[in-house]
């Protein structure tokens, strides 16, 4: 897959729930794909708020590919984009809600899109009386056309929700072939539609940029901007393969933890995974041990028995977990002892 990125976890959860609600995919199909809702959210006591949590982009891709494969309606992307759920807003969407104008929100959206999905790219071209917005995904990502159409549709829906008034597109260009039923597309994008285009874009009145956002708070905008930029910095520092693998290991426990499962999620061979992790100074085995050790202490602190912890961490039996626990305890004790200044030790 090339680079290994994370996306907004709340966006993944929202798409997961919406696909089930629309009967596009079944719970059985999601489980068969290795996607479990309870594993999409980090519920540890010290976890970041859901709005700031990250998930592997692979999970988002799998959801879109399932939707594209099982969805029988060409307008599925439009339907998903028109679904507006304020409770599913991440830190970036929350910040945009308190910008002064649609233009300010759009500029912040473009600059900080990595908070939602680093693989999504928006460009804006300004004319005398119009603006043209073009959206595309990174070419090495297998996003279907419905994901692009969802983004265009969502832009219009979010704008309407934030400004209190809808904006009528002047025209819309889509890369998809012309569907048999054009009306669902015309209802969202207007009747000036062009299919089989070379790009996916919307042309809007330039006055759209000056639309004020209803209920915007300068105080909340400043606070959310700080949180958003802090989160973005962590995202940019954390987009490594080892971090992504660690996330997938957590999500795969206890039943799907296997090297083949992780490789399938990343679309990498074992040899390629080994090589990249070695370049980052770690290994798959080390990452599994790190995740298990971290989660073991949390689960024990929550009052679970060691037998139950063993099950939750995917050990084949309790005795194997006991040996690992003793090894971790010795390693931690050694590390603590090494930090003690020799002059401070008791004779």
């Amino acid at each position: 897959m090339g680079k290994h990125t994370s996306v907004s976890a709340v966006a993944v959860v929202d798409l997961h729930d919406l696909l089930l609600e629309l009967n596009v995919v079944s719970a059985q199909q999601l489980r068969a794909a290795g996607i479990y809702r309870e594993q999409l959210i980090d519920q540890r006591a010290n976890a970041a708020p859901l709005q700031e949590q990250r998930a592997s982009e692979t999970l988002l891709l799998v959801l879109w590919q399932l939707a594209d494969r099982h969805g029988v309606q060409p307008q599925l992307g439009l339907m998903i984009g028109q679904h507006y759920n304020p409770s599913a807003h991440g830190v970036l969407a929350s910040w945009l809600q308190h910008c002064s104008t649609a233009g300010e929100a759009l500029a912040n959206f473009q600059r900080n899109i990595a908070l939602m999905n680093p693989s999504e790219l928006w460009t804006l071209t300004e004319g005398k009386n119009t603006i043209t917005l073009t959206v595309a995904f990174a070419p090495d990502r297998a996003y279907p056309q419905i994901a692009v159409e969802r983004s265009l549709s969502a832009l219009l829906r979010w704008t309407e929700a934030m400004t209190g008034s809808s904006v009528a597109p002047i025209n819309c260009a889509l890369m998809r072939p012309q569907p048999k039923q054009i009306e669902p597309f015309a209802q969202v994008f207007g009747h000036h539609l062009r299919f089989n285009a070379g790009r996916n874009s919307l042309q809007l009145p330039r006055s759209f940029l000056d639309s004020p956002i209803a209920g915007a708070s300068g105080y909340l905008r400043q606070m959310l901007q700080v949180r958003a930029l802090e989160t973005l910095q962590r995202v940019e520092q954390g987009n490594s393969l080892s971090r992504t693998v660690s996330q997938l290991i957590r999500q795969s426990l206890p039943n799907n933890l296997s090297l083949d499962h992780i490789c399938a999620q990343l679309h990498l061979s074992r040899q390629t995974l080994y090589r990249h992790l070695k370049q980052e100074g770690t290994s798959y085995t080390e990452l599994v041990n790190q995740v298990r050790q971290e989660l073991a202490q949390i689960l024990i602190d929550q009052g679970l028995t060691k037998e139950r912890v063993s099950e939750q961490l995917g050990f084949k039996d309790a005795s194997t977990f006991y040996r690992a626990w003793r090894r971790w305890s010795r390693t931690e004790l050694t590390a603590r002892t090494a930090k003690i200044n020799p002059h401070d030790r008791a004779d």
Side-chain angles (χ1 to χ4, degrees):
M1 288 179 63
K3 62 182 179 179
H4 299 271
T5 56
S6 65
V7 298
S8 168
V10 71
V12 177
V13 173
D14 189 46
L15 180 59
H16 171 282
D17 294 349
L18 190 54
L19 293 180
L20 285 174
E21 181 183 328
L22 295 174
N23 294 317
V24 174
V25 297
S26 66
Q28 183 178 1
Q29 289 168 333
L30 291 170
R31 289 194 297 271
I35 297 180
Y36 298 83
R37 191 185 193 281
E38 62 273 17
Q39 296 174 353
L40 299 177
I41 303 173
D42 188 346
Q43 302 186 46
R44 294 174 294 173
N46 62 342
L50 176 58
Q51 291 80 1
E52 298 174 20
Q53 288 186 26
R54 310 297 293 176
S56 169
E57 186 186 10
T58 300
L59 296 170
L60 186 65
L61 274 168
V62 169
L63 288 173
W64 276 119
Q65 290 163 359
L66 285 172
D68 190 47
R69 189 180 312 142
H70 299 287
V72 296
Q73 298 172 310
Q75 67 271 25
L76 178 61
L78 314 185
M79 296 167 58
I80 295 174
Q82 290 293 298
H83 178 79
Y84 184 77
N85 181 10
S87 64
H89 285 176
V91 64
L92 178 57
S94 299
W95 173 19
L96 301 182
Q97 279 188 298
H98 292 283
C99 291
S100 300
T101 64
E104 181 188 339
L106 184 59
N108 286 328
F109 175 70
Q110 285 182 274
R111 283 195 296 266
N112 302 286
I113 186 63
L115 283 166
M116 287 189 178
N117 186 347
S119 294
E120 188 170 339
L121 175 65
W122 286 82
T123 57
L124 184 152
T125 306
E126 294 191 46
K128 183 177 180 180
N129 298 310
T130 64
I131 61 168
T132 300
L133 291 165
T134 303
V135 62
F137 285 93
D140 62 336
R141 299 301 198 261
Y143 284 96
Q145 175 69 15
I146 58 171
V148 178
E149 292 165 3
R150 174 265 169 200
S151 293
L152 291 170
S153 176
L155 175 79
L156 298 175
R157 182 66 184 91
W158 291 355
T159 298
E160 180 181 2
M162 291 192 297
T163 65
S165 60
S166 59
V167 55
I170 297 171
N171 61 57
C172 174
L174 298 173
M175 296 178 69
R176 71 154 53 246
Q178 181 170 320
K180 292 181 179 179
Q181 299 293 328
I182 297 179
E183 188 56 31
F185 291 84
Q187 288 178 357
V188 175
F189 299 130
H191 289 276
H192 296 284
L193 291 163
R194 181 160 55 93
F195 297 96
N196 293 303
R199 61 179 182 175
N200 296 288
S201 64
L202 279 176
Q203 189 177 63
L204 304 175
R206 198 180 190 286
S207 58
F208 154 78
L209 299 176
D210 299 322
S211 302
I213 294 179
S217 164
Y219 173 66
L220 291 177
R221 177 171 66 249
Q222 188 175 17
M223 290 183 61
L224 288 164
Q225 178 179 349
V226 171
R227 295 290 294 184
L229 295 180
E230 288 175 349
T231 303
L232 181 61
Q233 184 177 21
R234 291 195 298 271
V235 169
E236 292 174 340
Q237 292 173 345
N239 278 338
S240 64
L241 176 58
S242 56
R243 179 182 174 88
T244 300
V245 171
S246 293
Q247 291 174 333
L248 291 174
I249 290 170
R250 289 189 185 92
Q251 293 158 1
S252 299
L253 290 169
N255 300 319
N256 288 322
L257 182 60
S258 72
L259 179 57
D260 288 339
H261 173 72
I262 299 297
C263 288
Q265 293 290 298
L266 293 168
H267 302 284
L268 294 175
S269 67
R270 286 187 175 213
Q271 292 76 12
T272 302
L273 180 63
Y274 287 147
R275 184 173 68 255
H276 287 320
L277 289 178
K278 185 177 181 180
Q279 290 172 351
E280 295 185 12
T282 187
S283 69
Y284 175 74
T285 300
E286 288 178 7
L287 293 176
V288 171
N289 283 331
Q290 288 172 10
V291 171
R292 279 175 159 170
Q293 182 177 1
E294 174 188 328
L295 294 179
Q297 188 61 61
I298 293 171
L299 295 173
I300 288 174
D301 289 345
Q302 291 176 350
L304 273 68
T305 64
K306 290 187 177 179
E307 288 76 11
R308 181 62 178 149
V309 172
S310 173
E311 294 175 6
Q312 290 292 306
L313 298 182
F315 283 93
K316 62 181 180 180
D317 52 51
S319 61
T320 305
F321 169 68
Y322 288 142
R323 287 195 296 273
W325 180 258
R326 287 196 295 270
R327 184 174 68 253
W328 296 334
S329 299
R330 286 196 301 270
T331 301
E332 184 176 353
L333 178 60
T334 300
R336 287 179 179 175
T337 303
K339 291 180 181 179
I340 298 176
N341 189 308
H343 300 292
D344 296 334
R345 294 179 183 171
D347 292 331

